[in-house]
Amino acid sequence: MSSRYRRPLAWAVALGLTWLVGYPLLLTLLEALGAPLDLTVDNFAAFAERGDEWQALWRSLWISAASVALAALVGVPLAFVFARLEFPGRRLLGGLIALPVALPPLVGVIAFLFLFGESGFLSRGVQAALGLETPPWRLQGAGAILLVHAYSMYVYFYLFVRAGLARLDGAMEEAAAILGAGRARTLFRVTLPLLLPALVGAALLTFMTSLASFSAPYIFGGGFRVMTTQIVASKLNGEIAMAQVETVTLALLAFAGLWAMRRVDPGRRVVVGGVRGAAPRRRVLKRPGARLAAAGLGWGLTFVMLLPHLTLLLISSVPPDTWTVETLPPVLDGGNYAVLAASPERLRPVLNSLWMAAVATAGAVALGLMAADLSVKLRGRLGTALETLLAVPWAVPGTVFAIALATAFSVRAPLAGRFVLVGTAWILPLAYLVRSLPLTGRSALAGLRQLDPAMAEAAASLGAGGWRTLWQVRLPLLRPALLAGAGLAFITALGDFVTSIVLYTYDTRPISIEILSSLRLQDTGVAAVYGVLLMVLSAAAFLPRSGEEAI
Amino acid sequence: MPSFLEIDRLSKSFGEHRVLDRVSLEVAAGEVLVLLGPSGSGKTTLLRLLAGFESADEGALRVAGDEISGLPPSRRGFGMVFQHYALFPHLSVGENVAFGLESRGGGEARASRIAEVLAMVDLEGFERRRVHELSGGQQQRVALARALAPGPKLLLLDEPLSNLDPSLRERTRSELRRALARVSMTAVWVTHEQDEAFAVGDRVALLNGGRLEQLGPPEELYLEPCTRFVAGFLGRASSLVGVLNENGEFEIGDARFAGHGARWPASAAEQLAPGTRVEAVFRPEGLQLADPDEEENVLTGKVTSRRYAGEATFYEVEMGVGGRLLVAAGSTAAKTGDRVAVAPRHGGPLPRLFSEAAE
């Protein structure tokens, strides 16, 4: 595009993004303050007077902090094992063990239900082994939520720390060793401080994800309410104003978390010099005992991490009403899959999810690429504003966005940029699009920043115009980055539960909502089939990428 | 000189690839030994074995008579300057230097030792600076100060100058060498640059393909190379192939080469039997250009290229007997296309004879 139109176009894109991202949040804040009739803090005062609101707030915070600690406890040692030791199967397992991150949250939760729940495999097994009358535990409350969080979020620590270790100059640890430092001192004084950016990044991501987590508290929480489930409960009870106040509170909490973590982000302080050596070679375990132990640990852990996936597969093959008191299901067949394939009514959510995710992804890629490109070219304040607008939905919990969109688009006021979209087929694709923007925008930004400007200049020097340069040079070079972003955006939209539960209509109900209603109808087999479907599609979008990293 | 460090038939393989093959050498106390060789020659592996980052498959390492192979790097008491310096970016200059002084206790003594070594590398008062605020040359000096601070028994240097601008390299090299001399540090210095090796090394060990080709002072390696590889790797060299006749003279075309005192003296790296095919390696400064009609016992040829290099001009001469020679001469000695004779330059390096099979 010509540089003459660049600035007006950037303003247009910024305006569009503000309308999608900032405006709904602002409207929610205003309505929580009593607008348009009034301007008052009465709603907030009502919020502050209720003990259960404070309790939910406190629970959200401590659950998030505990999730960070647990995820680090699992993910960091795993990263060291896979980055530093060489044992049979390391490459394959190193990729597989990152799979839980690709599991849509609701699918992970129902897999846990089938595995650890009262009538899950494990509880039945333990009950049978010990000869108990009742199930040995109930999968409920804070413990259950933390279990699911640790399981699905250790991957952030694992991936970040592995990447950090791969970038770490091996000479750093050698320098420490030759200066007389033993293993422990090298680890605590050199390796971990150098990994601090990775650790802080993973902690930030875990904290924010946990704060926004909805599926686990919704399914396992019972009376244990956190902010996200509190918001949805208020909305379902018709306490719209209260839901809006809670939404504003949770959004502020998320922004505060983001701001705090940004402040301590040591990435800016530690600039590693221009030249670096290579990462240390992996230690090849020579003693057969050690090799066997490492391989056993690796395989064992991977098996544990993949147990929920396997459980889903198994449950999806149990015909209805055949599994009652036995420890293991007596009959397995593909009947549930056949039921789904034969019933248009049950295929409907799958088609819904597919088209809505596709539309949202296409829109998010186009908008993300355009905004990222303008942001890189313009720099300055407008460029920063575009980049910030792209990133904001990442910090904002899905529940918050769902309420904000429901607030903004349930009123017809075209002059104020408000239309009635709630209750139509367009609200969910729009919600998915906004939620996917940080994913597509960030990968487009990363791709554009790695793009050598000399490429476009070379094309121009050879006589190619702006469009030809775009189609034949820049887009092909950006393709890996765009595909990666699109893949993530697609699986996020496909498996979305948190915004869907607030905004869906019966005709556009997505897979996640259908999973929930199947569970309510005790139709576990069909629910598992939907879960398997999401799992396979997500893994397909995720695995090729993790394979590259796992070298 | 009594040897301080003994490397005794050290071997190391990575998988099937033998990167170090029974290398033995000794380093005297206070000596700077340079490990020189092309990439893949095993010089870096040898240094890493000394540091303890790798363990040898066979052979022994002794310091002052004590076997150290079993000791981890942290207990060898060596210092090391890394190629990319490996300064800890999260620590200040002072904290970097202090890292190896942990066992010395804290307080005054430590602070004064830090100041002392920083002064030694001309970085007084840099304690609180961040590593990334320093220039490449300053980082290099901090790396040296950090390595010297604990008073190591032996200093290992892994291509310490390779990350500096060429303009800075020569000055830093002599500063570094002086700093080592001042504390009589025993050092093993790895480089792939001949200039650097000759400038800093009391002795140079030339490695190739995991084997020690030759060990000695720089002049010895340059003037009396033991192998064809050493002759070719160091300095500029060109060669001709001929036969050794019954008189023990190397004969090529009309020219005869014999031992010291002859019209065209030569030296041999090994005992050569008459009838052997022999390769004679010439240094450009051991040759001169002459009038093709006047001299006897000369080789004639045609100048195919001329390259002016400031301190000398190099002429490539295509010889009538086959092959090419590189001759250093004045800048107006000949033009491209001239017919010239090539004669020995008296006082210059002698041609070195190797049996052709040896290569």
Side-chain angles (χ1 to χ4, degrees):
Chain A
M1 74 204 81
S2 140
S3 53
R4 191 150 42 105
Y5 302 114
R6 194 175 288 157
R7 196 156 280 275
L9 187 64
W11 277 106
V13 172
L15 206 65
L17 281 176
T18 310
W19 176 70
L20 277 177
V21 174
Y23 192 47
L25 293 171
L26 183 71
L27 284 175
T28 311
L29 175 64
L30 288 177
E31 294 201 3
L33 288 168
L37 304 172
D38 210 353
L39 203 60
T40 157
V41 291
D42 286 355
N43 292 327
F44 285 88
F47 173 86
E49 276 166 18
R50 278 168 58 171
D52 60 330
E53 300 291 343
W54 285 106
Q55 200 176 34
L57 198 60
W58 167 241
R59 281 173 174 165
S60 271
L61 283 174
W62 82 255
I63 286 276
S64 299
S67 300
V68 169
L70 286 175
L73 220 57
V74 181
V76 175
L78 267 180
F80 271 86
V81 167
F82 279 93
R84 290 292 170 82
L85 299 181
E86 187 61 83
F87 53 86
R90 183 192 60 80
R91 272 177 152 217
L92 177 70
L93 301 179
L96 283 179
I97 207 156
L99 266 185
V101 81
L103 209 58
L106 181 70
V107 181
V109 167
I110 61 162
F112 263 67
L113 195 65
F114 296 148
L115 183 58
F116 299 109
E118 277 159 61
S119 54
F121 282 104
L122 212 70
S123 359
R124 283 188 198 230
V126 171
Q127 191 179 352
L130 301 180
L132 301 174
E133 297 256 314
T134 53
W137 58 71
R138 288 169 64 81
L139 191 65
Q140 227 174 30
I145 296 170
L146 283 177
L147 184 69
V148 176
H149 283 189
Y151 168 77
S152 50
M153 297 174 203
Y154 82 85
V155 182
Y156 298 139
F157 277 94
Y158 170 72
L159 288 178
F160 276 53
V161 171
R162 259 199 84 171
L165 283 172
R167 278 198 301 270
L168 193 70
D169 184 354
M172 291 291 168
E173 290 177 348
E174 291 175 353
I178 203 142
L179 287 165
R183 281 196 186 186
R185 196 165 156 242
T186 304
L187 180 68
F188 288 106
R189 288 288 309 280
V190 176
T191 313
L192 288 179
L194 288 174
L195 286 175
L196 206 57
L199 291 169
V200 170
L204 167 68
L205 195 53
T206 307
F207 189 86
M208 304 295 274
T209 311
S210 179
L211 202 60
S213 167
F214 177 74
S215 302
Y218 183 75
I219 304 280
F220 293 135
F224 187 91
R225 292 254 180 85
V226 296
M227 282 309 281
T228 50
T229 45
Q230 184 83 348
I231 290 171
V232 171
S234 298
K235 169 101 174 13
L236 291 180
N237 290 338
E239 297 179 88
I240 301 301
M242 187 52 76
Q244 283 166 340
V245 171
E246 289 158 355
T247 300
V248 169
T249 311
L250 183 58
L252 288 178
L253 212 57
F255 283 126
L258 188 66
W259 177 79
M261 298 270 192
R262 279 271 160 90
R263 266 180 69 90
V264 298
D265 181 3
R268 291 187 229 170
R269 208 154 40 79
V270 175
V271 180
V272 179
V275 279
R276 285 190 309 108
R281 255 203 312 276
R282 284 189 191 87
R283 204 147 60 88
V284 180
L285 298 171
K286 288 208 178 99
R287 271 178 301 146
R291 268 174 82 82
L292 211 65
L297 195 71
W299 285 97
L301 277 174
T302 310
F303 178 71
V304 169
M305 296 307 178
L306 294 185
L307 259 183
H309 300 71
L310 299 174
T311 305
L312 269 187
L313 275 175
L314 203 63
I315 297 285
S316 73
S317 312
V318 177
D321 306 322
T322 57
W323 189 23
T324 49
V325 294
E326 299 86 347
T327 308
L328 285 173
V331 194
L332 292 178
D333 63 24
N336 295 321
Y337 290 86
V339 166
L340 197 77
S343 152
E345 200 44 32
R346 296 199 129 146
L347 267 181
R348 180 98 187 244
V350 178
L351 298 176
N352 280 343
S353 277
L354 283 173
W355 82 255
M356 293 194 295
V359 167
T361 303
V365 168
L367 197 53
L369 177 62
M370 199 145 71
D373 190 37
L374 287 165
S375 149
V376 168
K377 279 185 179 147
L378 284 171
R379 300 201 182 89
R381 256 187 236 159
L382 190 54
T384 314
L386 283 172
E387 197 180 331
T388 310
L389 281 171
L390 279 181
V392 161
W394 176 78
V396 177
T399 315
V400 169
F401 248 113
I403 297 292
L405 291 174
T407 304
F409 297 114
S410 55
V411 175
R412 184 175 151 76
L415 286 179
R418 297 174 73 172
F419 308 91
V420 177
L421 296 179
V422 173
T424 72
W426 294 107
I427 189 70
L428 274 185
L430 191 74
Y432 297 166
L433 186 155
V434 174
R435 300 248 298 139
S436 297
L437 269 179
L439 300 171
T440 58
R442 200 183 325 187
S443 47
L445 269 174
L448 283 164
R449 291 204 170 117
Q450 279 171 7
L451 201 66
D452 187 352
M455 294 292 173
E457 288 163 11
S461 79
L462 294 168
W467 284 109
R468 192 160 157 235
T469 306
L470 180 68
W471 281 110
Q472 294 192 351
V473 179
R474 303 184 71 224
L475 279 184
L477 286 171
L478 284 172
R479 208 172 60 175
L482 292 181
L483 279 180
L488 281 176
F490 187 74
I491 61 172
T492 311
L494 199 67
D496 177 88
F497 176 54
V498 51
T499 46
S500 304
I501 194 169
V502 178
L503 298 171
Y504 82 97
T505 62
Y506 181 75
D507 286 334
T508 62
R509 64 192 187 281
I511 298 178
S512 55
I513 299 298
E514 190 69 10
I515 289 180
L516 207 63
S517 35
S518 304
L519 279 183
R520 291 235 170 85
L521 299 171
Q522 303 293 328
D523 217 346
T524 50
V526 173
V529 171
Y530 285 121
V532 168
L533 212 61
L534 280 179
M535 177 176 90
V536 171
L537 287 169
S538 308
F542 173 78
L543 258 190
R545 275 162 31 81
S546 81
E548 281 164 33
E549 290 169 86
I551 303 163
Chain B
M1 261 197 296
S3 63
F4 174 70
L5 167 71
E6 292 172 60
I7 298 170
D8 190 3
R9 280 164 298 171
L10 217 54
S11 294
K12 174 76 182 173
S13 298
F14 291 120
E16 295 293 295
H17 183 51
R18 200 169 176 95
V19 284
L20 215 55
D21 191 6
R22 282 160 298 167
V23 169
S24 297
L25 49 87
E26 299 183 349
V27 185
E31 186 184 28
V32 175
L33 177 89
V34 172
L35 298 176
L36 176 67
S39 55
S41 59
K43 56 188 192 303
T44 300
T45 304
L46 181 51
L47 197 75
R48 292 176 61 79
L49 286 171
L50 284 173
F53 301 147
E54 312 278 354
S55 54
D57 301 335
E58 300 159 36
L61 276 176
R62 282 183 289 274
V63 172
D66 296 328
E67 171 63 49
I68 59 157
S69 296
L71 288 180
S74 54
R75 293 185 43 217
R76 293 196 178 191
F78 295 171
M80 182 153 174
V81 176
F82 292 81
Q83 189 171 8
H84 305 285
Y85 317 137
L87 295 175
F88 304 130
H90 58 297
L91 301 180
S92 67
V93 167
E95 289 166 334
N96 263 282
V97 175
F99 197 92
L101 299 172
E102 209 84 338
S103 53
R104 299 280 184 89
E108 292 283 302
R110 181 141 58 131
S112 75
R113 177 61 181 160
I114 295 168
E116 186 188 345
V117 288
L118 282 178
M120 201 160 77
V121 295
D122 289 328
L123 292 173
E124 291 99 337
F126 271 59
E127 280 91 340
R128 292 172 165 278
R129 297 280 192 95
R130 314 288 317 179
V131 167
H132 62 84
E133 294 167 3
L134 305 181
S135 71
Q138 290 171 328
Q139 291 190 6
Q140 205 265 356
R141 285 184 275 157
V142 175
L144 178 68
R146 184 179 71 176
L148 291 178
K153 287 185 270 191
L154 173 72
L155 185 66
L156 308 171
L157 301 110
D158 185 7
E159 311 221 8
L161 304 175
S162 64
N163 273 309
L164 295 176
D165 290 338
S167 58
L168 210 60
R169 215 170 281 168
E170 206 156 321
R171 207 183 75 209
T172 313
R173 183 170 83 192
S174 43
E175 283 171 3
L176 193 50
R177 185 65 184 90
R178 267 201 302 279
L180 296 184
R182 211 173 317 148
V183 290
S184 313
M185 183 54 65
T186 313
V188 176
W189 181 317
V190 163
T191 182
H192 63 269
E193 303 239 3
Q194 179 201 332
D195 275 3
E196 190 176 317
F198 281 13
V200 302
D202 293 317
R203 287 189 303 153
V204 174
L206 183 56
L207 294 166
N208 179 40
R211 290 168 182 267
L212 180 63
E213 292 272 342
Q214 191 168 356
L215 171 65
E219 298 85 343
E220 194 177 302
L221 263 69
Y222 188 72
L223 296 175
E224 297 162 34
C226 289
T227 67
R228 176 67 184 86
F229 173 81
V230 176
F233 185 76
L234 297 175
R236 298 186 180 87
S238 54
S239 68
L240 294 176
V241 177
V243 183
L244 209 66
N245 64 22
E246 296 79 43
N247 304 331
E249 298 168 324
F250 172 60
E251 187 178 299
I252 175 161
D254 293 336
R256 305 274 181 281
F257 302 80
H260 290 266
R263 170 86 179 82
W264 196 332
S267 73
E270 58 205 301
Q271 201 67 44
L272 297 168
T276 328
R277 278 180 69 79
V278 165
E279 187 177 12
V281 178
F282 300 86
R283 299 286 178 205
E285 68 275 22
L287 298 173
Q288 58 178 335
L289 297 181
D291 187 332
D293 303 323
E294 281 178 24
E295 297 275 340
E296 57 177 282
N297 198 24
V298 296
L299 294 163
T300 56
K302 200 170 85 174
V303 177
T304 55
S305 75
R306 169 184 177 277
R307 187 171 64 81
Y308 177 69
E311 76 275 18
T313 303
F314 295 95
Y315 296 88
E316 195 180 67
V317 183
E318 180 147 1
M319 307 308 297
V321 294
R324 287 158 192 261
L325 285 182
L326 193 65
V327 183
S331 63
T332 56
K335 298 192 298 294
T336 304
D338 283 358
R339 272 183 51 75
V340 292
V342 176
R345 181 190 298 274
H346 294 290
L350 302 183
R352 190 82 170 156
L353 306 183
F354 299 95
S355 72
E356 212 197 358
E359 181 50 28

